[in-house]
């Protein structure tokens, strides 16, 4: 009898701890953000600055890097040039040629005396060989795995860092959608090589990228990285206005949600969204439909036959009907997995980074996004978006209504765990 009671108490306690992984912030946005001003108006920038945290800063230059052929050489070249510091945070870090190349580059700089600080997510690095991690640490890389599994972390094991941040000497930054794995290599030419975009950043906003890294470095190491090696004086490098902001369940969890809702509510002419995982909540769906009622063109580019999450592929379609009925255009990318995260509004505003258009990114993951306020950059990213549309199929309302009954049933079942997808 005593053993039965003990086991019952133990199982109940374990279940209560595990249920903490499904907990969202006590207060979340629950009401629609109304359209009150346009993207081009000063009020939009003013509110984005104060509500999301970091101020918008001037004098930046952002370069879009398309696919692994451009992304990895640029990042590895920057790592090799480091003289005072390297900070690097990523979700996916797997063994393979790409993982080896990054490990060698980071280790070489560490052996040369450059402080190298690395955060890799514990779940995202499960396909990385321990020997590779050990060799980096032996070379002097200060490496931490984010929230490894321990009995005292069971209540937080569902909260992962999904941020992709690389900062060199506090002067050059990178963020975007690419992880460190071989499927990001090449030029998205086949299903084994993914389509993605990453961004090289120069100018004063790099300091905000460094601060975003510091947020999780403090959580994992208990130390702060400061001084001129990490935060040097930064001169202007271009004409783009930008800011970087972060979100996590432990603070600022609604920042991403609010950013999307404010930006969509301010749209006056066009919304172009590329999303690798599209499982929005009702507020975001309603915001997109409200934009259509203002005669805003809404184009959404999503993965097609190639996607690494079948549950997301099924659950996502449940919301397509209302959007299609409102006149939104939904395209499904055909050649390979689409992993791009891109939002362009009114050819004036661009948001990029690690954040997916889903509830997990908004409320459970640690994320970081870069917002750029530049018509030239927005025009450039619109052209890249439209190039991807040419490799996609337009998905019709008729096709959605005629999808198989089994898909509709699975959608209903997955609604119960929508926030975890």
């Amino acid at each position: 009898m005593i053993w039965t009671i003990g086991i019952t108490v133990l199982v109940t306690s374990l279940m209560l701890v595990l249920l903490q992984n499904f907990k969202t912030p006590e207060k979340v946005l629950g009401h629609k953000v109304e359209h009150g001003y346009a993207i081009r108006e000063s009020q939009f920038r003013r509110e984005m600055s104060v509500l999301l945290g970091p101020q918008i800063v001037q004098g930046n230059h952002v370069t879009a890097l398309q696919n692994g052929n451009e992304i990895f050489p640029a990042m590895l070249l920057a790592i090799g040039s480091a003289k005072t510091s390297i900070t690097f945070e990523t979700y996916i870090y797997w063994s393979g040629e790409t993982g080896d190349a990054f490990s060698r580059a980071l280790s070489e700089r560490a052996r040369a005396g450059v402080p190298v600080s690395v955060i890799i997510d514990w779940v995202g690095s499960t396909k990385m060989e321990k020997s590779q991690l050990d060799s980096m640490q032996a070379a002097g890389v200060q490496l931490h795995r984010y929230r490894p599994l321990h009995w005292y972390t069971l209540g937080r094991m569902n909260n992962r860092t999904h941020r992709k941040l690389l900062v060199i000497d506090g002067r050059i930054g990178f963020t975007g959608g690419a992880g460190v794995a071989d499927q990001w290599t090449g030029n998205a030419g086949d299903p084994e090589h993914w389509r993605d975009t990453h961004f090289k950043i120069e100018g004063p906003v790099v300091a905000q990228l460094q601060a975003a890294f510091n947020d999780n470095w403090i959580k994992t190491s208990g130390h702060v990285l400061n001084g001129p090696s990490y935060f040097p004086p930064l001169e202007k490098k271009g004409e783009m206005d930008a800011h970087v902001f972060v979100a996590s369940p432990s603070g600022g969890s609604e920042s991403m949600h609010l950013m999307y809702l404010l930006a969509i509510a301010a749209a006056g002419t066009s919304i172009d969204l590329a999303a690798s995982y599209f499982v929005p909540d009702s507020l975001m769906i309603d915001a997109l439909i409200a934009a259509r009622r203002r005669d805003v063109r809404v184009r959404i580019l999503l993965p097609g036959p190639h996607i690494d999450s079948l549950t997301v592929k099924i659950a996502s379609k449940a919301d397509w009907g209302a959007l299609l009925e409102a006149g939104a255009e939904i395209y499904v990318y055909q050649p390979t997995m689409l992993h791009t995260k891109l939002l362009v509004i009114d050819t004036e505003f661009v948001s990029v980074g690690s954040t997916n258009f889903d509830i997990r990114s908004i409320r459970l993951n640690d994320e970081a996004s870069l917002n750029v306020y530049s018509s030239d950059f927005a025009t450039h990213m619109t052209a890249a978006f439209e190039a991807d549309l040419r490799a996609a199929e337009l998905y019709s309302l008729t096709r959605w209504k005629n999808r198989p009954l089994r898909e509709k049933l699975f959608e209903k079942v997955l609604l119960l765990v929508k926030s975890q997808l």
Side-chain angles (χ1 to χ4, degrees):
M1 182 67 176
I2 295 176
W3 280 103
T4 303
I5 294 173
I7 292 173
T8 301
V9 170
L10 181 62
V11 171
T12 302
S13 300
L14 180 61
M15 290 300 296
L16 289 173
V17 170
L18 292 176
L19 284 172
Q20 291 296 310
N21 287 280
F22 299 89
K23 182 181 178 181
T24 56
E26 291 183 7
K27 291 185 179 180
V28 297
L29 288 167
H31 300 281
K32 176 184 172 184
V33 176
E34 298 292 342
H35 174 71
Y37 45 78
I39 289 283
R40 293 175 177 83
E41 293 182 36
S42 59
Q43 185 66 24
F44 176 70
R45 294 194 184 195
R46 186 177 302 116
E47 293 190 5
M48 293 293 265
S49 283
V50 298
L51 290 174
L52 301 184
Q55 289 283 325
I56 298 170
V57 292
Q58 300 177 335
N60 306 286
H61 183 74
V62 181
T63 303
L65 304 169
Q66 306 296 343
N67 300 320
N69 279 356
E70 293 183 3
I71 296 168
F72 293 142
M75 294 176 71
L76 290 168
L77 181 64
I79 290 171
S81 73
K83 295 179 175 61
T84 65
S85 67
I86 298 172
T87 54
F88 183 40
E89 180 174 356
T90 191
Y91 176 67
I92 294 291
Y93 199 146
W94 293 349
S95 293
E97 292 183 10
T98 304
D100 289 344
F102 273 80
S103 296
R104 287 195 303 270
L106 294 167
S107 297
E108 187 278 326
R109 286 291 80 198
R111 284 192 293 267
V114 176
V116 180
S117 306
V118 176
I119 302 170
I120 55 177
D121 189 78
W122 180 78
V123 171
S125 62
T126 52
K127 294 184 181 180
M128 189 176 189
E129 296 175 6
K130 185 177 183 298
S131 60
Q132 197 168 24
L133 298 175
D134 292 341
S135 68
M136 291 171 67
Q137 291 176 313
V141 175
Q142 298 298 308
L143 189 150
H144 292 272
R145 298 178 83 181
Y146 191 75
R147 290 187 175 155
L149 182 62
H150 299 295
W151 67 267
Y152 53 84
T153 62
L154 289 175
R156 297 181 301 169
M157 66 181 183
N158 198 26
N159 303 137
R160 313 311 315 171
T161 179
H162 194 244
R163 297 172 186 171
K164 284 98 175 167
L165 306 170
L166 172 64
V167 182
I168 308 299
D169 296 341
R171 297 181 180 278
I172 300 172
F174 294 84
T175 192
V180 180
D182 289 344
Q183 66 258 46
W184 275 280
T185 59
N187 197 33
D190 56 67
E192 282 69 48
H193 300 90
W194 292 3
R195 169 74 183 100
D196 214 334
T197 310
H198 224 67
F199 299 86
K200 179 181 178 182
I201 307 155
E202 299 170 280
V205 79
V206 174
Q208 295 180 1
L209 207 69
Q210 188 76 287
F213 176 85
N214 241 323
D215 177 57
N216 273 347
W217 185 254
I218 293 169
K219 293 177 187 175
T220 56
S221 72
H223 297 281
V224 62
L225 301 175
N226 60 344
S229 294
Y230 299 96
F231 293 98
L234 294 173
E235 62 277 4
K236 291 184 177 181
K237 289 292 185 178
E239 301 299 323
M240 299 179 188
D241 298 348
H243 60 157
V244 174
F245 61 99
V246 299
S248 73
S250 60
S253 61
E254 285 294 90
S255 295
M256 293 299 172
H257 202 195
L258 184 59
M259 185 276 291
Y260 280 131
L261 294 173
L262 286 172
I264 292 169
T269 58
S270 63
I271 297 171
D272 289 333
L273 172 68
S276 49
Y277 308 102
F278 183 77
V279 191
D281 71 346
S282 59
L283 278 180
M284 291 195 285
I285 293 291
D286 290 345
L288 291 168
I289 292 172
R292 280 297 307 136
R293 290 175 182 151
R294 299 193 304 273
D295 203 28
V296 175
R297 183 191 65 191
V298 176
R299 298 186 294 186
I300 303 171
L301 177 63
L302 305 174
H306 307 287
I307 186 170
D308 66 335
S309 175
L310 180 60
T311 54
V312 169
K313 181 177 182 179
I314 295 171
S316 174
K317 284 187 180 178
D319 296 313
W320 293 12
L323 291 167
L324 291 166
E325 286 178 342
E329 301 169 36
I330 295 180
Y331 297 83
V332 288
Y333 192 73
Q334 297 300 304
T336 184
M337 168 67 183
L338 177 83
H339 201 257
T340 302
K341 299 104 169 54
L342 173 69
L343 176 65
V344 185
I345 297 184
D346 291 357
T347 326
E348 289 284 339
F349 166 83
V350 180
S351 184
V352 297
S354 63
T355 310
N356 294 310
F357 206 80
D358 61 13
I359 303 171
R360 163 168 280 281
S361 274
I362 287 169
R363 299 210 173 111
L364 292 176
N365 288 343
D366 288 9
E367 302 283 6
S369 280
L370 168 73
N371 286 354
V372 182
Y373 304 78
S374 164
S375 58
D376 289 343
F377 186 65
T379 298
H380 178 69
M381 295 314 302
T382 298
F385 179 86
E386 290 179 342
D388 285 336
L389 288 188
R390 291 192 285 273
E393 289 183 359
L394 183 63
Y395 195 95
S396 68
L397 180 60
T398 300
R399 183 177 174 185
W400 181 83
K401 289 180 177 179
N402 293 333
R403 68 198 188 284
L405 178 60
R406 65 178 180 277
E407 285 190 18
K408 297 177 184 178
L409 292 174
F410 281 134
E411 288 167 13
K412 299 294 185 184
V413 172
L414 291 172
L415 280 176
L416 300 173
V417 292
K418 186 176 181 180
S419 66
Q420 308 300 307
L421 301 177

